[in-house]
Every structure is written in structure tokens, then in C-alpha cells.
Amino acid sequence: MKRTALPKLLSCPLLIVAVLTSGMNVYANEADYAKNIGKTPPMGWNSWNKFHAGISAEIIRGIADGAAKYKLNEAGYKYLVIDDAWQARRLGPNGKLVANPTKFRDGIAPLVKYVRQRGFELGIYACPNRVTCAGFPGSLGREQLHAKQFADWGCKFLKYDFCPTRSKEIGLPYDEVVRRYRVMSKALHAVDPHIVYAICEKGHAGRINRRTRRHAGITTPVTDEQRRKAFAWCPEVGGVMWRTTGDISAKWDRIVSIVDEQEGLAELSGPGAFNDPDMLEVGNGNLTASENRAHFSLWCMLSAPLILGNDLRKIPREMLEIITNKEVIALDQDLMCKAAEKVVDQGDIECFLKPLADGDFAVCVLNRSRQAKEVVIDWSKLGLSRDTYAVRDLWAHKDLGSIKNRLTRTVGSHDVFVARLTADSKD
Ligand code: GLA
């Protein structure tokens, strides 16, 4: 059941009992949920894409200082998340997680305070397995204990990453994977309902994950229907966001292949529940300015969580302009929370359309090719019903005027044209 369907059903007493006892949703209703966390995609930063296991308290403090210096909170960024490899190799007394004493000498709690003083919240990482993806102790069977530790420290975000590092865990039955996520969800909700629960399961339960498929000998292509089923349980167990792909990398081909993997998933996303195509690589590797712009725009079109992955201690101006483009971020944070769908596919040229809460539409034209291309953007081919729209270019920050039927633009190689369309009142 989708979280958004609850209020309508709550008029029926029998159903109230069913919903409250089913254990499917950890929130009583949508209003409770929105009050606790907020409706729009979470925004923040995560340590993995840039630092991998090479993190420390010093780096996290530097990141918090940078995030404050560049005023990233004003653009909407909130959570600074420490990913895997923050833990010591062994659990402490009574099965508690312990921070690595060399990297995080004073533990996690002082970092929560440090980050909060700069206007952000700290997030943390754990796994529903015996060990994490990087081989540190997992939380399986100790969910209440670990959830309480996170809450006591003051963490406000948990990335819970399913990593079947041992072969007998690769093919775990669907119900068991879902059960493990529900247990942690309940444990978190019991200690602090304000913690964002970020599911990172990557399609293992639904057998669409590449590794699980190889293990099970499945060779048939994944259908949109299978993809939807693979993640439909995530909002039902209280996931605010859920990873829909394997790991991203700072390479153009990987970024566009992840966009392809989002096909068919738009209907799962809505207020407080988001498909997560993985953390941003903007500013990492050798991505060009246009590739970074396209990557950021596509994530905003998809209503994806905007979790930065670059080094915030020093942000080049060009990069800062991308990650703080308020007009593009406004598409991501739109209250309708509707993910864009691909409405035109001409091979190298694709158009995505996203309806917005005020009746406007966002359009993103993606040029996947190595050459600049002239593109005719025809309102009727996008599926729009009006003849005339006022068009605003969201990267040039420029009104292009009232445009009838179609607009012709040259879109650079590995670049996007992103516009907001407002129905013309005279139309
Ligand atoms: C998995 C996740 C990554 C990261 C690493 C950490 O690969 O998908 O995002 O969290 O584990 O080990």
C-alpha cells in the first residue's frame, strides 16, 4: 500500500485496525510522516563517492565547515552522511557498534554537535547483514541496539545498505530481505521518528540486481513491471528513499545508464517516498561542465534525493553554480513530488517531462551524443495540451518569451536544455 493512499482509507474503522496491525507502514498516516520528516526529496552529502573508506572526523569537520562556508543549507542541503568504514573491525561489549578509534577518536556524538552548529544534521551507515559492504560489523539481529545508538548520538539519517557479501546471502528470499528492512524501520521509529530511513537494497529481493541474477542464473531482460515490484515494498516499510541501481561512478556512460534503469519507476515516487538513482558524482572524476550539469538536472527531474558526493571543503565556482541552481533544485523539491517520465526517445535525443504543483511543466532535453544537435521541441509531441507556453531557460536564467507550438534549440554534446513551461493565460 502506498503511503499516500492511507488518508482515504482511514474513514473505515475495520481498515484502520488492518493498517495499524499489518506492520507495513511505520507512520500512522501521511500527515504524521510529513510532520516528522518533510515531503520532498532529502538533500545532503555522503562521504562514499569521494572518500570511500578514507574518512575521518577531521574530514567530516572539514566538510561541515565547507558546507557552511558555501551556504549549502540555504540551497536546501541538510544531511551530512558518513558512509561505510566508520566502524571499528569488531563490535564492542554487548554487541554495540564502535567507531574506529583512529579515524573517529572521540566517537560520533561530538560530530553530530559540530555539524549541527553549522546548520546541518549528521547521518550514518549500517547494514542488515552480518558484515557491511566494506567488511565491518553489520546490524543483523542487533537492530534495536544499534538504532538506539544512532538516536542517542543524534543522527538524523540512516543509510541501510543490503550487502550480500557472503554467498548464502545473495539469494535470500524476498520476504527475508523485506523483513530485515522492516525490523530496522520499526527500531528507528521507536527511538526517533525524525530519522530519514534511506533504504539501499538495490533490487536483490526482487531479483533485478545484476549480482543476484547472475547467482540465480537469470538471463531474461528485466521488465518495467519487475522493476516496479522490486521496489514497491520500500515505501511500505517506511523508506523515504530507496536505491534503484548498483553503484554509480563518475563516468558519463554510467550516469546515463542509471537514467535508463529508472524507466517505469516514476509511479512509485510521491510525497515522502523517492526512487534513489544513487548519490551525485557532480564535481568528481573527469566529468565535464556539461556532463555535471546534465547529471544534476536529470536527478532533479527524477525527484531524486540530492546527495552530493564531491569534496565540499573546496568547491570550484562552476561546480557551486551547478549544485546551488535554485531554479533547477525547485524542480526536484516541487511539492507534487512527481518523477519525470521520458516522453520522447529519438536515440541520442531524449525529452523528459515533469508536472509541477503549480500547473507548470519542467522539460529536460538530453543530448547523449558526442555532437551538438539542433532539436525541435514540439509541445504536442511532449504530450502537452496547450498551443502556447511561456518558456524559461533554467540554466541561462532567462525568459524566452511566449512560444507557440514548438521551440528549436541547439543542445550541446552530453548536455541538457532545461526549461519551465507556464501555460499562457491568453491561450
Ligand atoms: C555499497 C553501496 C555504496 C557504498 C558502499 C560502501 O557498494 O552501494 O553506495 O555505501 O557499499 O561499502
Side-chain angles (χ1 to χ4, degrees), residues 236-256:
E236 290 167 2
V237 303
V240 174
M241 50 193 266
W242 50 88
R243 267 276 292 281
T244 54
T245 69
D247 287 11
I248 194 169
S249 64
K251 298 215 168 68
W252 175 252
D253 289 350
R254 179 65 187 133
I255 289 165
V256 287

Side-chain angles (χ1 to χ4, degrees), residues 68-112:
K69 177 174 83 185
Y70 294 110
K71 299 191 172 34
L72 295 186
N73 48 352
E74 286 177 15
Y77 298 97
K78 180 168 176 186
Y79 303 99
L80 305 182
V81 182
I82 308 177
D83 206 279
D84 205 356
W86 63 269
Q87 317 87 329
R89 283 279 167 204
R90 285 173 193 284
L91 290 171
N94 310 324
K96 284 189 172 181
L97 284 166
V98 180
N100 177 307
T102 316
K103 297 170 169 175
F104 295 93
R105 206 191 54 198
D106 303 320
I108 301 299
L111 282 177
V112 169

Side-chain angles (χ1 to χ4, degrees), residues 48 83-84 125 133-134 159 161 163 200 202 243 247 278-279:
W48 189 256
D83 206 279
D84 205 356
Y125 170 100
C133 298
K159 172 171 171 180
D161 187 10
C163 238
C200 182
K202 299 163 282 198
R243 267 276 292 281
D247 287 11
D278 206 354
M279 304 164 302

